[in-house]
Amino acid sequence: MNIHAITIEVPAAGEAPAAESFYADALAVGDRVHVRVATGPSSGFRGFAPSLILMQPGDVDATFARALAAGARVLKPVVKSLWGYGGSLVAPDGTTWQIASANKTATGPAVGEVEKLVLLLGVQDVKASTAFYREQGLAVNKSFGGKYAEFSSGDITLALYKRSGLAKQVGIAAEGTGSHRLEVGADADFTDPDGYAWATSAMADRGRRL
């Protein structure tokens, strides 16, 4: 099963054009991230954090700068770490994003090349959710006990963290209530044990603008 796109919900119709512009222009993921108006309330951490993995540290710096100029707010500034180079921010619509590169130092020019887009889902029980997704036909690429699991899922990579661990990683309080304000566009329709909705209908909405 493949993930083809994700749909992020915004609080009101008037905010949709700005959100679409942010994802198309600032993050350059408009082909895989769509926007629609929310149907339910939400507060605090929504439980998920897409991670944009770029090839070069300079790409991270440039993307961060565009995002901040477009109204994003820094959660963790860009720094070198054991795993690479990156930071996290909150988009104007309230979605938490991680922007990173596996390269700590430049191995080539910064040209804006995206290595992959990863959908990080915060879940209550990583082992149980991993078993659930395997039942849906997703193959596990990496697994670290009850802390992390990564799947082979096509255009967008699915990865699971404990909700508290994901919140800590991106630098936000783990508390949150209401809708996730996320729909995963894939080859099947279901809702997972943590309330994340998957729908084939999201595929039909690809390219549609509000």
Side-chain angles (χ1 to χ4, degrees):
M1 181 168 59
N2 294 330
I3 301 175
H4 304 282
I6 61 174
T7 298
I8 291 173
E9 296 183 344
V10 297
E15 298 179 35
E20 290 185 330
S21 177
F22 179 82
Y23 292 121
D25 301 327
L27 298 193
V29 292
D31 59 331
R32 285 170 286 180
V33 178
H34 306 151
V35 174
R36 72 183 181 198
V37 179
T39 57
S42 180
S43 65
F45 182 42
R46 297 178 189 173
F48 71 98
S51 181
L52 185 59
I53 309 299
L54 302 160
M55 291 301 296
Q56 302 296 335
D59 295 322
V60 174
D61 291 333
T63 301
F64 234 78
R66 290 196 306 271
L68 297 182
R73 174 173 57 86
V74 174
L75 286 174
K76 284 188 174 181
V78 174
V79 296
K80 289 183 180 180
S81 67
L82 292 175
W83 49 266
Y85 181 81
S88 57
L89 51 80
V90 177
D93 63 81
T95 302
T96 302
W97 280 79
Q98 181 173 269
I99 314 295
S101 172
N103 293 315
K104 297 181 185 181
T105 57
T107 60
V111 294
E113 185 177 356
V114 175
E115 183 176 355
K116 62 181 177 179
L117 178 60
V118 182
L119 176 58
L120 304 174
L121 295 185
V123 301
Q124 183 67 30
D125 187 326
V126 172
K127 288 184 177 180
S129 290
T130 298
F132 173 84
Y133 279 110
R134 290 183 69 179
E135 291 174 356
Q136 309 311 309
L138 287 165
V140 177
N141 278 342
K142 300 177 184 177
S143 180
F144 300 97
K147 294 183 178 181
Y148 179 81
E150 184 178 298
F151 300 83
S152 176
S153 52
D155 297 337
I156 298 175
T157 299
L158 174 66
L160 307 178
Y161 277 90
K162 285 188 68 67
R163 181 187 173 101
S164 58
L166 178 57
K168 182 178 181 180
Q169 176 170 308
V170 297
I172 194 169
E175 293 76 21
T177 60
S179 170
H180 291 299
R181 291 192 173 170
L182 171 73
E183 184 176 76
V184 183
D187 304 323
D189 298 278
F190 60 84
T191 299
D192 84 352
D194 292 272
Y196 295 104
W198 291 53
T200 54
S201 60
M203 294 168 58
D205 290 339
R206 297 181 75 179
R208 188 180 72 179
R209 294 292 179 262
L210 295 174

